[in-house]
Every structure is written in C-alpha cells, then in structure tokens.
C-alpha cells in the first residue's frame, strides 16, 4: 500500500530499494525520515555553516552559507513536493544533503581541486557528496557512511561523468551509477531538488549580491523576471518607491519572483505528469524530465542566471578572492602530497594504506574537500607561513 497522501508516481518508503547494509526498520519513522535525520546529525552537515556559497565566510555574517542555502532549498522543495503529492521526507533528505561534498570556497575551490586531481580521476562535488554519505562519515559501528536508502543516494548524485558512472557500476551493479550509463532520469523527488536548488540560488544570490553592493537594483531592472515583480510590487505599494524602502522593495520583488517560479513549476509539472501519465517511479525513470518550468519561465530563469554569472560570479571583486581561494587549495594539495603526515591522523593512515598514486591523491582530495573555509585558510597558513583570505 502506498503511504497516505502520496501519488502513485511518488517514491513510497515501503517500496524503497533499501540500504547497502540491511538494518532493522525504525519503529516510528519511515526510511526517508531516518535518512533526513542521519544527514542532519552528520559532521559534514554541520561543516556547511562555514562553507562558502558565493561570498566567502569571513566577508559578512548575513550572506548565505552552504548551510542556509541547503535549508532554503529544502523549504522550497518541500513546498512543491506537498502540492504535487510527492514524498516530502525524501525531498527534504536529498535537499539537505545535496551540497555535502562541496569543497571550501565554493566553485573556486571545486575547480582548483579538480585541476589538482586532473591526472588522478578529477574531482566532482556531486560524486563527493555521495562519497560523504556512503563512506567518509564515520559514526556507526556496523558500517562506514550513513547507509542511506537508494532513493536518497540516487537524488544526491545529480550529475556524474561516464567514467565515474562506470566505476560506480563496477562497485555496485545496477546501483546509483546505472542511470547515467542508461541515460535514464532519477525519481521526481530527485528532479525536484535540482530545480529547487536553482530557484533558491537565483533568488538568494540577488539578495546577497545587492547586500554586498556588487550589483544594483538598477542593473536588475534589465532582468524581466525580477523587473516584472518589482513593478507589480510598486503598483500595489507605491510607498515602496521611497528611498528608505529600497530594501523592503527588493525583498518584496524577490518574494514574488520566488512564488511565481514555484507556482510555475507546479503547473508545468502537473501538466507533464498528466500528459505522460506515470503510474510508478520506475516509469518516471524511463521518461523525459517531468519536473520542469514552463518554456517561458525557463527562458526567464536562464536570463537571470546569465546575468548573475556575468555580473556577480564574475565580478572583479569576487574573482579576486576566488583567485586566492584557488591558490589556497592548490598549495594545500601540493603540501599534503609531499608531507602526507601533515594531514589529520585518519587521513595520514589512509594514505599509508593506499598504494596507487591515484588512491593516495584521493585521500588528499577527501581531506581538503571536507574542510571549512576557515580551516583551509588556517591550515594553509600553518603549512606555507602565508596568510591569504582574511
Ligand atoms: Mg546547491
């Protein structure tokens, strides 16, 4: 029987493909609730508070961090899940875990680590998130990792290169790597988390961008998705035009923009579900992506993304700090490759046990990827004598 209130196409915890290691079911929680709880209690989750989203952790106390970002993604995901009768617990678990594998310093850190790992198989943050929940967390007596359900792991592994998918498939035949080889989709809950992620960062990066002074309301007026909602807010509340109400106007425009995207996803997805008519999650996996924006909203969201890319992520001030962040990661990597004993004992021990150069490099990558921004800065100073970034 399907869990009460769930649609036929939703992931039913009673039909989960299960965990890698068998466990007695919890008496009062579904397997997906249990996954969410394990994620919230993990060390990697707590580290997200000191990891960069766009602005480095030391640049201000009010900017998003990976933790607040993940919570915002989970909130949006759950709202949409509830109105589509999808599994909210599963959506929440995936959303809260989706960035666990992120390096310090956001995308700059990830790019730098990928470059360092070029001859050792590269570095992908989605795959790293899976490594965290499958293996790197060490808190249970029976197994490494958090031993999450297949459906949660499937959602966490949003992207994966063909080479990495083949490697996963070799370890776990028919597991979470298989869909990338078969070019299939994940569950609707997983599809939803991807879109919730996009909606969340598009909105909060506008807020943080304006707060930082790197982008202005005037610049944003060239973005139809933002401007149409700013004008609506002004028409309804003309007093927002006053100079002292600018922040309130920004919030109101962002709030309306967020709601419009959420309602659009719900509408467009409902339509796709009606047209395709999946009766089970396995049918969903063989269909095109069903959780989607309408054509029009897709275009508007893309325009906003491009704007943020050009004007915020590539802003000279952001680029300057990201260059330093890259240097920190590069030099940390080089230092540990030369003196593996400088790593925390558990990683130094893993290095000793590893034989192949690529396995040893992976130990270093795991150690660096787990660092918070400030720990990386401190370690870099300890090893090089040079203080970068704050
Ligand atoms: Mg994210």
């Amino acid at each position: 029987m399907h869990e009460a209130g769930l649609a036929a196409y939703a992931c039913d915890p009673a039909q989960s493909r299960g965990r890698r290691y068998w466990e007695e079911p919890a008496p009062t929680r579904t397997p997906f609730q249990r996954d969410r709880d394990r994620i919230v209690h993990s060390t990697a989750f707590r580290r997200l508070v000191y990891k960069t989203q766009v602005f480095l952790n030391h640049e201000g106390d009010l900017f998003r961090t990976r933790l607040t970002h993940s919570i915002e993604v989970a909130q949006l995901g759950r709202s949409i899940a509830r109105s589509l009768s999808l599994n909210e617990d599963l959506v929440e678990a995936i959303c809260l875990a989706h960035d666990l594998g992120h390096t310090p310093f956001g995308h700059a850190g990830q790019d730098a680590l990928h470059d360092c790992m070029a001859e050792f198989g590269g570095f992908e943050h989605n795959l790293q998130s899976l490594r965290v929940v499958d293996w790197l967390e060490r808190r249970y007596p029976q197994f490494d990792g958090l031993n999450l359900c297949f459906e949660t792991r499937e959602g966490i592994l949003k992207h994966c290169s063909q080479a990495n998918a083949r490697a996963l498939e070799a370890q776990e035949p028919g597991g979470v790597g298989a869909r990338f080889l078969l070019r299939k989709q994940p569950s609707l809950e997983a599809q939803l988390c991807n879109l919730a992620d996009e909606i969340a960062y598009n909105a909060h990066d506008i807020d943080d961008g304006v707060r930082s002074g790197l982008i202005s309301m005037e610049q944003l007026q060239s973005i139809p998705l933002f401007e149409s909602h700013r004008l609506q807010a002004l028409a309804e509340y003309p007093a927002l035009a006053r100079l002292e109400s600018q922040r309130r106007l920004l919030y109101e425009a962002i709030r309306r923009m967020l709601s419009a995207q959420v309602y659009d996803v719900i509408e467009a997805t409902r339509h796709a579900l009606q047209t395709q008519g999946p009766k089970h999650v396995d049918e969903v996996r063989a269909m095109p992506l069903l959780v989607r924006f309408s054509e029009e909203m897709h275009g508007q969201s893309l325009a906003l993304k491009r704007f943020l890319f050009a004007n915020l992520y590539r802003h000279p001030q952001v680029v300057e700090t990201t260059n330093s962040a890259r240097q920190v990661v590069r030099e940390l990597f080089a230092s540990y490759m030369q003196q593996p004993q400088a790593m925390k004992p558990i990683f130094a021990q893993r290095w000793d046990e590893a034989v192949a150069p690529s396995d040893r490099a992976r130990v270093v990558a795991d150690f660096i990827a787990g660092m918070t921004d400030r720990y990386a800065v401190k370690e870099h100073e300890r090893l090089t004598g040079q203080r970068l970034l704050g």
Side-chain angles (χ1 to χ4, degrees):
M1 208 192 79
H2 233 57
E3 192 179 81
L6 280 187
Y9 45 69
C11 280
D12 180 359
Q15 291 181 37
S16 167
R17 289 201 204 168
R19 306 177 186 280
R20 294 201 298 164
Y21 304 93
W22 187 86
E23 290 183 74
E24 197 75 56
T28 58
R29 294 171 295 164
T30 70
F32 301 147
Q33 284 180 288
R34 201 181 194 185
D35 281 4
R36 183 226 20 235
D37 299 348
R38 287 183 178 187
I39 290 158
V40 168
H41 289 281
S42 69
T43 309
F45 185 71
R46 282 193 301 284
R47 287 194 183 121
L48 295 178
V49 73
Y50 294 113
K51 289 195 178 201
T52 289
Q53 183 65 26
V54 172
F55 294 91
L56 298 193
N57 199 247
H58 67 263
E59 289 180 310
D61 290 344
L62 292 177
F63 295 125
R64 267 70 177 185
T65 67
R66 289 247 169 240
L67 181 68
T68 57
H69 162 71
S70 300
I71 294 171
E72 289 183 36
V73 175
Q75 178 272 314
L76 285 166
R78 287 186 51 177
S79 292
I80 300 171
R82 190 175 299 190
S83 55
L84 292 172
S85 303
L86 294 175
N87 194 307
E88 255 184 88
D89 297 324
L90 177 59
V91 166
E92 189 180 16
I94 299 170
C95 291
L96 291 177
H98 85 284
D99 274 351
L100 288 180
H102 262 288
T103 61
F105 315 124
H107 284 280
Q110 128 108 11
D111 292 347
L113 196 52
H114 183 62
D115 290 345
C116 295
M117 290 294 288
E119 48 182 312
F120 308 112
F123 178 89
E124 292 175 23
H125 68 264
N126 284 126
L127 188 62
Q128 192 67 15
S129 296
L130 188 70
R131 273 175 81 73
V132 168
V133 299
D134 275 0
W135 197 58
L136 288 168
E137 281 284 323
R138 302 280 157 97
R139 44 200 316 121
Y140 294 89
Q142 318 93 304
F143 42 75
D144 289 336
L146 304 177
N147 197 30
L148 304 180
C149 296
F150 173 87
E151 293 76 8
T152 310
R153 298 173 59 239
E154 170 191 52
I156 290 172
L157 192 62
K158 176 160 80 171
H159 302 295
C160 185
S161 67
Q162 291 287 302
N164 284 328
R166 280 193 294 275
L168 280 172
E169 186 61 15
Q171 289 163 26
E172 186 192 352
V176 290
R179 79 175 167 92
F180 298 95
L181 303 173
L182 301 168
R183 310 213 178 266
K184 286 189 166 187
Q185 311 301 340
S187 70
L188 293 166
E189 284 80 358
Q191 295 181 29
L192 171 52
C193 293
N194 293 346
L195 220 47
D197 188 19
E198 232 174 86
I199 297 174
Y201 66 66
N202 271 340
H204 65 49
D205 288 352
I206 291 184
D207 183 8
D208 283 355
V210 173
R211 183 187 301 283
S212 68
L214 299 187
I215 54 177
S216 66
M217 286 274 261
E218 290 69 40
Q219 276 177 297
L220 283 165
Q221 288 171 24
S222 66
I223 307 305
L225 184 57
F226 178 84
E227 182 60 359
S228 57
H229 295 290
R230 190 188 71 92
L231 291 175
Q232 269 179 28
L234 275 175
E236 222 172 297
Y237 301 101
L240 288 177
R242 289 201 299 257
L243 201 58
E244 68 272 20
S245 299
Q246 288 307 289
R247 181 67 69 170
R248 219 188 271 262
L249 174 59
L250 175 70
Y251 288 147
E252 184 59 18
I254 293 176
R255 182 177 304 122
R256 285 166 184 245
M257 196 185 91
L258 264 177
S259 299
Q261 290 176 91
V262 166
Y263 300 142
D264 183 88
V265 169
I266 293 170
E267 267 316 296
T269 305
R270 270 206 186 117
H271 183 72
L273 287 165
Q274 268 161 15
T275 316
Q276 299 278 341
K279 295 283 181 293
H280 190 271
V281 59
D282 286 338
E283 292 176 26
V284 167
R285 291 188 173 105
M287 288 174 176
L289 283 173
L290 299 176
V291 181
R292 55 172 78 155
F293 283 129
S294 65
E295 285 291 328
E296 198 201 335
M297 188 59 88
H298 176 71
Q300 290 200 356
S301 156
L302 204 64
L304 172 56
K305 234 193 230 182
R306 289 198 180 117
F307 168 85
L308 286 170
F309 199 82
N311 296 285
L312 184 60
Y313 314 142
R314 285 284 166 88
H315 189 286
Q317 225 168 295
V318 173
V319 170
E320 198 186 306
T321 54
T322 56
N323 285 340
S324 302
R326 281 201 182 89
Q327 188 185 341
V328 168
V329 168
R330 251 192 339 260
E331 294 179 357
L332 279 176
F333 187 84
S335 299
Y336 295 132
M337 289 295 277
Q338 286 201 330
Q339 348 158 32
Q341 298 309 318
M343 292 189 288
K344 282 218 171 120
I346 183 162
F347 289 93
Q349 188 193 332
R350 269 183 56 201
W351 167 286
D352 285 339
E353 287 161 9
V355 181
S358 63
D359 291 343
R360 292 188 151 177
R362 186 63 56 190
V363 175
V364 174
D366 283 341
F367 183 46
I368 294 174
M371 292 179 181
T372 61
D373 292 8
R374 57 187 192 171
Y375 183 76
V377 167
K378 244 171 55 193
E379 269 294 280
H380 178 263
E381 188 180 15
R382 181 175 76 87
L383 293 167
T384 66
Q386 201 190 349
R387 176 85 179 180
L388 291 175
L389 294 168

